[in-house]
Amino acid sequence: KFESSDHCSYEDADIVMKEWQHVLGNGQSAPILLRTANVIFSGLFEKEPTSRDLFTRVNVGDMHSGEFLAHTLRVMTGLDELINKLHSPAVLDSMLAHLAEQHAARDGVKHDLFYVFRDIMYSSLSQLLDEYNPDAWKNCMFHILYGIAGALP
Ligand code: HEM
């Protein structure tokens, strides 16, 4: 399944939160989140074409439609909330448990799609961020992605 990683230490969490803040720190957070999400989802659909069908309900046929943008904003604000809770493990874990249920309820959502998502996310972040510490991201995103997708088929 997921390759293991070191524990997301307090310092790792600090680095990830600070670097993530640089993505969003200029007051233009929504357009940046949407653009990043568009890159990630386009990359996912390119690599795993059948995964597109999981998003028909949210009008993936037109990735610029209000429905699809609203979906990507839910995902990215969800990610933002998770990252901002890296110092509050109990709260983080209850958010992750809820997201795990929401994803498990959707047929066809498989754990391996999450590492495709992860790898595309890492390459976008490394391009987006002047300072990018891959080990800190790997350690903390392991916890987040495993928390959502660890029990998926
Ligand atoms: C860090 C990664 C991710 C986060 C934070 C995240 C978060 C979310 C959130 C907040 C929702 C809305 C839940 C709801 O209102 O029911 C959602 C829906 C969904 N997610 Fe994720 N997600 C992530 C990754 C993925 C991946 C990799 C897949 C699989 C390709 C996926 C598949 C779906 C599907 C199919 C839906 C339902 C779309 C609909 O509304 O019809 N997610 N996700």
Side-chain angles (χ1 to χ4, degrees):
K1 278 199 166 182
F2 286 96
E3 70 199 55
S4 69
S5 76
D6 290 332
H7 169 70
C8 171
S9 67
Y10 197 87
E11 291 72 25
D12 288 335
D14 260 353
I15 291 169
V16 168
M17 289 192 283
K18 212 167 283 156
E19 291 185 351
W20 180 247
Q21 215 34 58
H22 282 270
V23 178
L24 305 177
N26 68 355
Q28 290 285 315
S29 63
I32 290 169
L33 286 178
L34 289 173
R35 226 178 302 127
T36 308
N38 208 283
V39 170
I40 298 174
F41 277 105
S42 306
L44 177 70
F45 301 151
E46 208 167 289
K47 215 157 175 254
E48 297 287 340
T50 56
S51 66
R52 234 188 144 86
D53 299 343
L54 297 170
F55 302 94
T56 14
R57 199 191 74 87
V58 287
N59 199 8
V60 68
D62 177 2
M63 286 181 73
H64 295 287
S65 64
E67 295 95 323
F68 195 73
L69 291 177
H71 162 72
T72 53
L73 202 53
R74 283 194 288 279
V75 173
M76 295 309 275
T77 52
L79 181 61
D80 180 57
E81 286 165 14
L82 298 170
I83 288 173
N84 286 311
K85 287 289 178 288
L86 284 171
H87 279 332
S88 314
V91 183
L92 178 63
D93 287 347
S94 84
M95 292 164 72
L96 289 171
H98 182 61
L99 280 166
E101 276 174 27
Q102 288 179 319
H103 285 83
R106 267 124 182 164
D107 268 344
V109 179
K110 305 250 164 57
H111 78 265
D112 56 350
L113 295 172
F114 281 73
Y115 38 77
V116 179
F117 182 98
R118 172 200 64 193
D119 291 344
I120 301 166
M121 176 180 159
Y122 289 170
S123 70
S124 326
L125 284 175
S126 68
Q127 287 172 37
L128 207 59
L129 293 167
D130 296 330
E131 294 203 35
Y132 174 68
N133 181 322
D135 287 336
W137 280 90
K138 181 168 165 257
N139 295 340
C140 296
M141 283 308 295
F142 173 81
H143 186 80
I144 288 178
L145 294 171
Y146 189 81
I148 302 174
L152 291 175

